[in-house]
Amino acid sequence: MKISFAKPHLPAEGALIVGVLEGKTLTPTARTLNELTGGGLERAMTAGRFLGKKDQTLVVLAPAGAPLARVVLVGLGKAESVDAQAAQSFGGTGLAAVLTSGDAACAIACDDFDGLKLPAAEFAANAAFGARLRSYRFDKYFTKEKKEDKPSVRKLAVLTDAGGAKAAFAPLDAVADGVFLTRTVVSEPANVIHPESLADECRKLTALGIEVEVLGEKQMKKLGMGALLGVGQGSDRESQLVVMRWTGAGNPDAAPLALVGKGVCFDSGGISIKPAAGMEDMKWDMGGAGAVIGTLAALAGRKAKANVVGIVGLVENMPSGTAQRPGDVVRSMSGQTIEVINTDAEGRLVLCDALWYAKERFKPSAMIDLATLTGAIVIALGTEYAGLFASNDRLAERIAAAGKAVDEPVWRLPLGEAYDKQLKSDIADMKNVGGREGGSITAAQFLKRFVADVPWAHIDIAGTAWSKKDTATIPKGASAFGVRLLDRLIAEHYEDKA
Ligand code: BES
Ligand code: MN
Ligand code: ZN
C-alpha cells in the first residue's frame, strides 16, 4: 500500500475514511460531503446509531450526490482524549473497513478538528502509521484465495493541511518497516525460518547500514557457550549467534545499549517434549529475536542517533539421538555450570550465553532481553501485558513508560533472594528450573545470574508476541510486541539530543 500526503479535498473515487468526534462533530471534509449528499451523512449516523464513540465504524455506500464508492465514518471518542494512540486506532480501524472492499484508492481525511490537543501534523502522521500497521498481511502461502478476499486497496492518500505531517510520518514509516520485518519472520513456519535462514535475514540488514556478524557452532564452542549449544545439539540445523550493530551516535565509541533476543526457531521441548496440542505455536518461540531484529531495522531506517547492538541466539530445540538429556550438566560461557532438569526450559539456556557475551564484548550501558520465556507469564498477566523484570529501577520505569506510550504495556514483577534460592542444584552451580510456582520469576532470576552489575531488564513476551484476534493496528498473528516499545525507549533516553 502506497501512502501519500495531499491537501484536503473530496476524492473523485474509491473510499474515504473520516473521523467523527463523540457528539457527532464532523470535520470540514465530512461537512462538505454531508452538504453534497443533502444531509446524507447525518441521516446515516442517526439510522446507524453512530455516536462517534472510539473505534465505532459506519460504512455509507455509494452516497448520493458524491462520486465515492463508500465513506467510512470512524468514531474518535472525546476530543480531549485523542492522543497519538487514538489517531493510530482511527487509521487502523478505518483501513480495516476498506482493505478488502474492492476499492483500490482510499483517502483518509485528517482535517484539523477544533479542540484536539494533538497537533494536526501528529494526528495525520499517526493515522497513516495506524493504517499502515493494520494493512499488514501474511498471505504468501494462500494459492486459492478468492479475489474478493484479497486486499484491494493499493494507495492511501492522507488528506491534511498540516505542513509537517509527511515529515512526522517518515520515522513512523521506518518503525512500521521494522514491525513488518518482525511480523514476517515470526509468522514464517519453522521449516522456512530456522537458525541459518533467520541469520540470513539478519545479514540483509547490512543494506540499512547495520554491521552484521554471524557466529556458528565452531566459534561458539571456542567461546565456551555450552548452555546455548546444548539446546541446539539435537537439531540438524546449526545454531547461530547473530550480532547486529547500529552505530548512530555522534560518538561511535560510546557504550551501546544491548538488546538480546531469544531465538528458538522451534521449541518442541526437546526430550522433555511438549504435548501435541498447540505445539505448532512454538514456531514463534523466536519472537524475542524477531523483535530485536525489527527494532534494529527501525533504528537504522530512521537513522537513530544512538549506538545499539542487537544479539540474537538462534537455535532449534529438538528431540533426537544427539539431543540434550534431562540431568545433563552444561558449562555456560560465564563458567557457571547448569544442571538441565527440563530440556523445555531452554530459552534461559540460550539467553544466559547471549547475555554474558553481550556484557563481555560490548560493555553495554544497559542490557534488555526479550523472550517468549514462560507459559507462567501468560497465566499471570494474560495476553494484555508483558512481564517486566529488572535489576535497575530507573531502567524499569523508563521501559514501563515507553510501553505505555506506544500501547505495548508491561507490568513489573519482583525479583529476590528467596526466588533465586529455588535454583539450587545438588550437583552443579544451578539448575535450569525452579518450582512450578512463580515460574516466570525464577526464570528471570536465572538470567540475572548472567548479567553481573550491568543495568538489566528482561521482558517476557510469551503472552503478547502472538495475537489471536485483530486489534485496531495489529491484524491477528505476530504482533511484533517490543519493536515500538524499544524504539520509543531509545528515542527518549538513548539518542543524542540536538
Ligand atoms: N517457549 C516456552 C514458553 C512459552 C509458552 C512461550 C507458551 C509461548 C507460549 C518455553 O521455552 C517453555 O517451554 N517454558 C516452560 C518452562 C518450564 C519447563 C519450567 C513453560 O513455561 O512451561
Ligand atoms: Mn521450552
Ligand atoms: Zn521456548
Side-chain angles (χ1 to χ4, degrees), residues 262 267-269 274 282 285 317 343-347 373:
K262 168 179 172 180
D267 181 13
S268 69
K274 288 181 180 295
M282 288 299 108
D285 207 20
N317 187 21
T343 65
D344 197 13
E346 84 298 340
L373 202 63

Side-chain angles (χ1 to χ4, degrees), residues 185 189-204 212-217 220 232 235-242 263-266 286 293 312-316:
V185 294
N191 60 328
V192 174
I193 284 291
H194 47 73
E196 291 147 286
S197 59
L198 187 49
D200 286 339
E201 292 302 316
C202 296
R203 285 187 179 97
K204 291 182 189 163
V212 183
E213 278 170 68
V214 180
L215 281 64
E217 291 184 352
M220 287 192 272
S235 169
D236 285 347
R237 306 283 186 191
E238 189 184 335
S239 300
Q240 314 270 288
L241 187 89
V242 183
V264 178
C265 296
F266 189 74
M286 36 60 73
I293 295 165
V312 293
L314 310 180
V315 301
E316 187 180 52

Side-chain angles (χ1 to χ4, degrees), residues 361-413:
R361 177 162 172 207
F362 295 104
K363 314 273 181 257
S365 61
M367 298 200 284
I368 303 170
D369 75 75
L370 283 89
T372 50
L373 202 63
T374 65
I377 203 69
V378 194
I379 303 302
L381 299 175
T383 56
E384 305 301 329
Y385 280 73
L388 171 67
F389 303 83
S391 66
N392 180 290
D393 291 342
R394 198 173 67 149
L395 181 59
E397 282 157 21
R398 287 174 167 183
I399 290 171
K404 195 172 177 193
V406 301
D407 206 16
E408 290 185 340
V410 298
W411 195 262
R412 192 174 179 187
L413 288 145

